[in-house]
Every structure is written in structure tokens, then in C-alpha cells.
Amino acid sequence: MEDFNRTGALSRAVMFINLANDPAVERISTPRMAITAAEYLAFEMDMHVLVIITDITNYADACVKSLLPVRKFRAARLPGYLYTDLATMYERAGKIRGKKAPLR
């Protein structure tokens, strides 16, 4: 945050920060909220967006420790589900065909 503040980029930044000691529900929801905000800014507000997820370990750890990601799967299948879950988050980045990105 100090670098963003020093360069003046902090006024144009949206940050979602969670820590390892945050509750599991926050660690699970924060990456998805950040990507949803990025999609809104990119596709609805026509802004150029860069999403940086520095450490997904807190998210994965919360998924493993909670029963939420198991859903209809047995616990033995959890790692496979976790990889699929992570892939769906990373695949949300994209471009809408025919939509021109603005130059700002």
C-alpha cells in the first residue's frame, strides 16, 4: 500500500485484503468479491483492470478446513474439487468479444 500511495495509484485502486487469521468465511469470499468488483469495473464501467492475487493459500486452507466446498462430494474427493474451484476463479478473467477497451 505504501508503494501505491507513493506513486499516486492508491486513489485509483480497489483493494481486498484478508489475512490468515481472518475467519474462514472471509478467506473464502474475499477472492471472489475482488474478481466480481474487477468484472464490474472492466465490463460495466469500461475501465482497464489488473487483478493481483498474491497468495491463494489462505483461500485454499479455509476451503480445506470448512465443509463448504465439499457440497455433494465426499471428503476424499476434496482436492480435485479444490483444483476445479481455483480454476473457475482464474478463468473469470477475460474479454467480451466485440467490446472495445477504452484508452485511459
PDB file of all heavy atoms in Angstrom, residues 38-39 41-50 94-104:
ATOM      1  N   ALA A  38     -13.735  -6.475  -9.993  1.00  0.00           N
ATOM      2  CA  ALA A  38     -12.930  -6.258 -11.203  1.00  0.00           C
ATOM      3  C   ALA A  38     -13.772  -6.429 -12.464  1.00  0.00           C
ATOM      4  O   ALA A  38     -13.654  -5.644 -13.417  1.00  0.00           O
ATOM      5  CB  ALA A  38     -11.748  -7.222 -11.223  1.00  0.00           C
ATOM      6  N   GLU A  39     -14.643  -7.439 -12.491  1.00  0.00           N
ATOM      7  CA  GLU A  39     -15.526  -7.634 -13.644  1.00  0.00           C
ATOM      8  C   GLU A  39     -16.459  -6.438 -13.824  1.00  0.00           C
ATOM      9  O   GLU A  39     -16.671  -5.980 -14.943  1.00  0.00           O
ATOM     10  CB  GLU A  39     -16.358  -8.909 -13.460  1.00  0.00           C
ATOM     11  CG  GLU A  39     -15.564 -10.176 -13.616  1.00  0.00           C
ATOM     12  CD  GLU A  39     -16.366 -11.412 -13.262  1.00  0.00           C
ATOM     13  OE1 GLU A  39     -17.329 -11.322 -12.474  1.00  0.00           O
ATOM     14  OE2 GLU A  39     -16.018 -12.475 -13.789  1.00  0.00           O
ATOM     15  N   LEU A  41     -15.949  -3.289 -12.853  1.00  0.00           N
ATOM     16  CA  LEU A  41     -15.181  -2.140 -13.333  1.00  0.00           C
ATOM     17  C   LEU A  41     -14.786  -2.298 -14.791  1.00  0.00           C
ATOM     18  O   LEU A  41     -14.798  -1.333 -15.558  1.00  0.00           O
ATOM     19  CB  LEU A  41     -13.940  -1.939 -12.453  1.00  0.00           C
ATOM     20  CG  LEU A  41     -14.224  -1.491 -11.021  1.00  0.00           C
ATOM     21  CD1 LEU A  41     -12.953  -1.523 -10.197  1.00  0.00           C
ATOM     22  CD2 LEU A  41     -14.862  -0.114 -10.992  1.00  0.00           C
ATOM     23  N   ALA A  42     -14.440  -3.512 -15.199  1.00  0.00           N
ATOM     24  CA  ALA A  42     -13.999  -3.743 -16.571  1.00  0.00           C
ATOM     25  C   ALA A  42     -15.163  -3.731 -17.557  1.00  0.00           C
ATOM     26  O   ALA A  42     -15.112  -3.045 -18.583  1.00  0.00           O
ATOM     27  CB  ALA A  42     -13.247  -5.072 -16.659  1.00  0.00           C
ATOM     28  N   PHE A  43     -16.205  -4.497 -17.264  1.00  0.00           N
ATOM     29  CA  PHE A  43     -17.251  -4.708 -18.250  1.00  0.00           C
ATOM     30  C   PHE A  43     -18.401  -3.720 -18.166  1.00  0.00           C
ATOM     31  O   PHE A  43     -19.060  -3.465 -19.159  1.00  0.00           O
ATOM     32  CB  PHE A  43     -17.781  -6.137 -18.140  1.00  0.00           C
ATOM     33  CG  PHE A  43     -16.712  -7.174 -18.401  1.00  0.00           C
ATOM     34  CD1 PHE A  43     -16.551  -8.242 -17.551  1.00  0.00           C
ATOM     35  CD2 PHE A  43     -15.863  -7.066 -19.489  1.00  0.00           C
ATOM     36  CE1 PHE A  43     -15.572  -9.197 -17.790  1.00  0.00           C
ATOM     37  CE2 PHE A  43     -14.884  -8.004 -19.740  1.00  0.00           C
ATOM     38  CZ  PHE A  43     -14.734  -9.081 -18.884  1.00  0.00           C
ATOM     39  N   GLU A  44     -18.654  -3.162 -17.008  1.00  0.00           N
ATOM     40  CA  GLU A  44     -19.739  -2.195 -16.874  1.00  0.00           C
ATOM     41  C   GLU A  44     -19.238  -0.755 -16.925  1.00  0.00           C
ATOM     42  O   GLU A  44     -19.919   0.116 -17.442  1.00  0.00           O
ATOM     43  CB  GLU A  44     -20.506  -2.422 -15.565  1.00  0.00           C
ATOM     44  CG  GLU A  44     -21.154  -3.791 -15.452  1.00  0.00           C
ATOM     45  CD  GLU A  44     -22.248  -4.007 -16.480  1.00  0.00           C
ATOM     46  OE1 GLU A  44     -22.951  -3.035 -16.826  1.00  0.00           O
ATOM     47  OE2 GLU A  44     -22.394  -5.156 -16.944  1.00  0.00           O
ATOM     48  N   MET A  45     -18.058  -0.503 -16.362  1.00  0.00           N
ATOM     49  CA  MET A  45     -17.525   0.859 -16.316  1.00  0.00           C
ATOM     50  C   MET A  45     -16.455   1.112 -17.381  1.00  0.00           C
ATOM     51  O   MET A  45     -15.875   2.184 -17.436  1.00  0.00           O
ATOM     52  CB  MET A  45     -16.942   1.144 -14.916  1.00  0.00           C
ATOM     53  CG  MET A  45     -17.943   0.953 -13.776  1.00  0.00           C
ATOM     54  SD  MET A  45     -19.401   1.999 -13.926  1.00  0.00           S
ATOM     55  CE  MET A  45     -18.700   3.601 -13.625  1.00  0.00           C
ATOM     56  N   ASP A  46     -16.165   0.108 -18.207  1.00  0.00           N
ATOM     57  CA  ASP A  46     -15.178   0.217 -19.293  1.00  0.00           C
ATOM     58  C   ASP A  46     -13.800   0.672 -18.821  1.00  0.00           C
ATOM     59  O   ASP A  46     -13.155   1.498 -19.453  1.00  0.00           O
ATOM     60  CB  ASP A  46     -15.676   1.150 -20.398  1.00  0.00           C
ATOM     61  CG  ASP A  46     -16.847   0.566 -21.154  1.00  0.00           C
ATOM     62  OD1 ASP A  46     -16.873  -0.660 -21.337  1.00  0.00           O
ATOM     63  OD2 ASP A  46     -17.734   1.340 -21.553  1.00  0.00           O
ATOM     64  N   MET A  47     -13.357   0.155 -17.707  1.00  0.00           N
ATOM     65  CA  MET A  47     -12.040   0.503 -17.170  1.00  0.00           C
ATOM     66  C   MET A  47     -11.059  -0.641 -17.424  1.00  0.00           C
ATOM     67  O   MET A  47     -11.455  -1.798 -17.487  1.00  0.00           O
ATOM     68  CB  MET A  47     -12.122   0.767 -15.671  1.00  0.00           C
ATOM     69  CG  MET A  47     -12.995   1.909 -15.285  1.00  0.00           C
ATOM     70  SD  MET A  47     -13.100   2.023 -13.497  1.00  0.00           S
ATOM     71  CE  MET A  47     -12.847   3.743 -13.263  1.00  0.00           C
ATOM     72  N   HIS A  48      -9.810  -0.280 -17.574  1.00  0.00           N
ATOM     73  CA  HIS A  48      -8.759  -1.287 -17.616  1.00  0.00           C
ATOM     74  C   HIS A  48      -8.519  -1.752 -16.191  1.00  0.00           C
ATOM     75  O   HIS A  48      -8.394  -0.936 -15.281  1.00  0.00           O
ATOM     76  CB  HIS A  48      -7.460  -0.708 -18.197  1.00  0.00           C
ATOM     77  CG  HIS A  48      -7.553  -0.437 -19.654  1.00  0.00           C
ATOM     78  ND1 HIS A  48      -7.456  -1.428 -20.591  1.00  0.00           N
ATOM     79  CD2 HIS A  48      -7.740   0.708 -20.333  1.00  0.00           C
ATOM     80  CE1 HIS A  48      -7.572  -0.906 -21.795  1.00  0.00           C
ATOM     81  NE2 HIS A  48      -7.747   0.397 -21.666  1.00  0.00           N
ATOM     82  N   VAL A  49      -8.450  -3.044 -15.992  1.00  0.00           N
ATOM     83  CA  VAL A  49      -8.351  -3.602 -14.649  1.00  0.00           C
ATOM     84  C   VAL A  49      -7.216  -4.617 -14.594  1.00  0.00           C
ATOM     85  O   VAL A  49      -7.052  -5.424 -15.505  1.00  0.00           O
ATOM     86  CB  VAL A  49      -9.684  -4.295 -14.247  1.00  0.00           C
ATOM     87  CG1 VAL A  49      -9.572  -4.943 -12.894  1.00  0.00           C
ATOM     88  CG2 VAL A  49     -10.821  -3.295 -14.274  1.00  0.00           C
ATOM     89  N   LEU A  50      -6.464  -4.549 -13.527  1.00  0.00           N
ATOM     90  CA  LEU A  50      -5.435  -5.539 -13.245  1.00  0.00           C
ATOM     91  C   LEU A  50      -5.749  -6.141 -11.884  1.00  0.00           C
ATOM     92  O   LEU A  50      -5.863  -5.421 -10.896  1.00  0.00           O
ATOM     93  CB  LEU A  50      -4.041  -4.902 -13.214  1.00  0.00           C
ATOM     94  CG  LEU A  50      -2.900  -5.798 -12.745  1.00  0.00           C
ATOM     95  CD1 LEU A  50      -2.689  -6.954 -13.717  1.00  0.00           C
ATOM     96  CD2 LEU A  50      -1.624  -4.986 -12.592  1.00  0.00           C
ATOM     97  N   GLY A  94     -11.133 -12.213 -18.495  1.00  0.00           N
ATOM     98  CA  GLY A  94     -11.385 -12.369 -19.917  1.00  0.00           C
ATOM     99  C   GLY A  94     -11.749 -11.071 -20.588  1.00  0.00           C
ATOM    100  O   GLY A  94     -11.612  -9.993 -20.034  1.00  0.00           O
ATOM    101  N   LYS A  95     -12.221 -11.226 -21.805  1.00  0.00           N
ATOM    102  CA  LYS A  95     -12.569 -10.093 -22.635  1.00  0.00           C
ATOM    103  C   LYS A  95     -13.901 -10.402 -23.301  1.00  0.00           C
ATOM    104  O   LYS A  95     -14.150 -11.533 -23.714  1.00  0.00           O
ATOM    105  CB  LYS A  95     -11.475  -9.897 -23.678  1.00  0.00           C
ATOM    106  CG  LYS A  95     -11.557  -8.641 -24.460  1.00  0.00           C
ATOM    107  CD  LYS A  95     -10.347  -8.528 -25.357  1.00  0.00           C
ATOM    108  CE  LYS A  95     -10.319  -7.181 -26.029  1.00  0.00           C
ATOM    109  NZ  LYS A  95      -9.155  -7.029 -26.893  1.00  0.00           N
ATOM    110  N   ILE A  96     -14.762  -9.413 -23.419  1.00  0.00           N
ATOM    111  CA  ILE A  96     -16.031  -9.600 -24.095  1.00  0.00           C
ATOM    112  C   ILE A  96     -15.823  -9.320 -25.576  1.00  0.00           C
ATOM    113  O   ILE A  96     -15.339  -8.250 -25.957  1.00  0.00           O
ATOM    114  CB  ILE A  96     -17.114  -8.677 -23.511  1.00  0.00           C
ATOM    115  CG1 ILE A  96     -17.384  -9.046 -22.051  1.00  0.00           C
ATOM    116  CG2 ILE A  96     -18.397  -8.772 -24.332  1.00  0.00           C
ATOM    117  CD1 ILE A  96     -18.398  -8.152 -21.375  1.00  0.00           C
ATOM    118  N   ARG A  97     -16.163 -10.298 -26.395  1.00  0.00           N
ATOM    119  CA  ARG A  97     -15.983 -10.159 -27.842  1.00  0.00           C
ATOM    120  C   ARG A  97     -16.803  -8.984 -28.365  1.00  0.00           C
ATOM    121  O   ARG A  97     -17.974  -8.810 -28.013  1.00  0.00           O
ATOM    122  CB  ARG A  97     -16.428 -11.442 -28.529  1.00  0.00           C
ATOM    123  CG  ARG A  97     -16.102 -11.466 -30.002  1.00  0.00           C
ATOM    124  CD  ARG A  97     -16.443 -12.776 -30.568  1.00  0.00           C
ATOM    125  NE  ARG A  97     -15.702 -13.769 -29.782  1.00  0.00           N
ATOM    126  CZ  ARG A  97     -15.390 -14.948 -30.189  1.00  0.00           C
ATOM    127  NH1 ARG A  97     -15.762 -15.340 -31.379  1.00  0.00           N
ATOM    128  NH2 ARG A  97     -14.720 -15.777 -29.434  1.00  0.00           N
ATOM    129  N   GLY A  98     -16.168  -8.153 -29.174  1.00  0.00           N
ATOM    130  CA  GLY A  98     -16.847  -7.011 -29.764  1.00  0.00           C
ATOM    131  C   GLY A  98     -16.874  -5.767 -28.887  1.00  0.00           C
ATOM    132  O   GLY A  98     -17.327  -4.723 -29.304  1.00  0.00           O
ATOM    133  N   LYS A  99     -16.383  -5.870 -27.670  1.00  0.00           N
ATOM    134  CA  LYS A  99     -16.368  -4.714 -26.764  1.00  0.00           C
ATOM    135  C   LYS A  99     -14.971  -4.103 -26.793  1.00  0.00           C
ATOM    136  O   LYS A  99     -13.995  -4.785 -26.537  1.00  0.00           O
ATOM    137  CB  LYS A  99     -16.740  -5.140 -25.360  1.00  0.00           C
ATOM    138  CG  LYS A  99     -16.915  -3.985 -24.432  1.00  0.00           C
ATOM    139  CD  LYS A  99     -17.712  -4.414 -23.223  1.00  0.00           C
ATOM    140  CE  LYS A  99     -17.796  -3.302 -22.243  1.00  0.00           C
ATOM    141  NZ  LYS A  99     -19.074  -2.655 -22.222  1.00  0.00           N
ATOM    142  N   LYS A 100     -14.903  -2.842 -27.106  1.00  0.00           N
ATOM    143  CA  LYS A 100     -13.621  -2.173 -27.204  1.00  0.00           C
ATOM    144  C   LYS A 100     -13.202  -1.657 -25.819  1.00  0.00           C
ATOM    145  O   LYS A 100     -13.983  -1.026 -25.123  1.00  0.00           O
ATOM    146  CB  LYS A 100     -13.730  -0.994 -28.164  1.00  0.00           C
ATOM    147  CG  LYS A 100     -12.422  -0.260 -28.360  1.00  0.00           C
ATOM    148  CD  LYS A 100     -12.598   0.902 -29.299  1.00  0.00           C
ATOM    149  CE  LYS A 100     -11.306   1.680 -29.340  1.00  0.00           C
ATOM    150  NZ  LYS A 100     -11.489   2.987 -29.915  1.00  0.00           N
ATOM    151  N   ALA A 101     -11.983  -1.959 -25.455  1.00  0.00           N
ATOM    152  CA  ALA A 101     -11.454  -1.440 -24.178  1.00  0.00           C
ATOM    153  C   ALA A 101     -11.092   0.024 -24.368  1.00  0.00           C
ATOM    154  O   ALA A 101     -10.514   0.402 -25.379  1.00  0.00           O
ATOM    155  CB  ALA A 101     -10.231  -2.233 -23.755  1.00  0.00           C
ATOM    156  N   PRO A 102     -11.439   0.880 -23.411  1.00  0.00           N
ATOM    157  CA  PRO A 102     -11.137   2.314 -23.555  1.00  0.00           C
ATOM    158  C   PRO A 102      -9.662   2.596 -23.298  1.00  0.00           C
ATOM    159  O   PRO A 102      -8.976   1.848 -22.618  1.00  0.00           O
ATOM    160  CB  PRO A 102     -11.994   2.951 -22.468  1.00  0.00           C
ATOM    161  CG  PRO A 102     -12.112   1.892 -21.426  1.00  0.00           C
ATOM    162  CD  PRO A 102     -12.151   0.582 -22.177  1.00  0.00           C
ATOM    163  N   LEU A 103      -9.186   3.643 -23.884  1.00  0.00           N
ATOM    164  CA  LEU A 103      -7.810   4.098 -23.623  1.00  0.00           C
ATOM    165  C   LEU A 103      -7.884   5.195 -22.596  1.00  0.00           C
ATOM    166  O   LEU A 103      -8.411   6.266 -22.835  1.00  0.00           O
ATOM    167  CB  LEU A 103      -7.158   4.621 -24.922  1.00  0.00           C
ATOM    168  CG  LEU A 103      -7.003   3.588 -26.023  1.00  0.00           C
ATOM    169  CD1 LEU A 103      -6.485   4.259 -27.283  1.00  0.00           C
ATOM    170  CD2 LEU A 103      -6.067   2.483 -25.595  1.00  0.00           C
ATOM    171  N   ARG A 104      -7.373   4.911 -21.397  1.00  0.00           N
ATOM    172  CA  ARG A 104      -7.399   5.906 -20.310  1.00  0.00           C
ATOM    173  C   ARG A 104      -6.026   6.061 -19.741  1.00  0.00           C
ATOM    174  O   ARG A 104      -5.281   5.207 -19.598  1.00  0.00           O
ATOM    175  CB  ARG A 104      -8.366   5.506 -19.219  1.00  0.00           C
ATOM    176  CG  ARG A 104      -9.774   5.479 -19.726  1.00  0.00           C
ATOM    177  CD  ARG A 104     -10.716   5.186 -18.606  1.00  0.00           C
ATOM    178  NE  ARG A 104     -12.000   4.907 -19.208  1.00  0.00           N
ATOM    179  CZ  ARG A 104     -13.139   5.147 -18.661  1.00  0.00           C
ATOM    180  NH1 ARG A 104     -13.207   5.661 -17.497  1.00  0.00           N
ATOM    181  NH2 ARG A 104     -14.256   4.871 -19.256  1.00  0.00           N
TER     182      ARG A 104
END
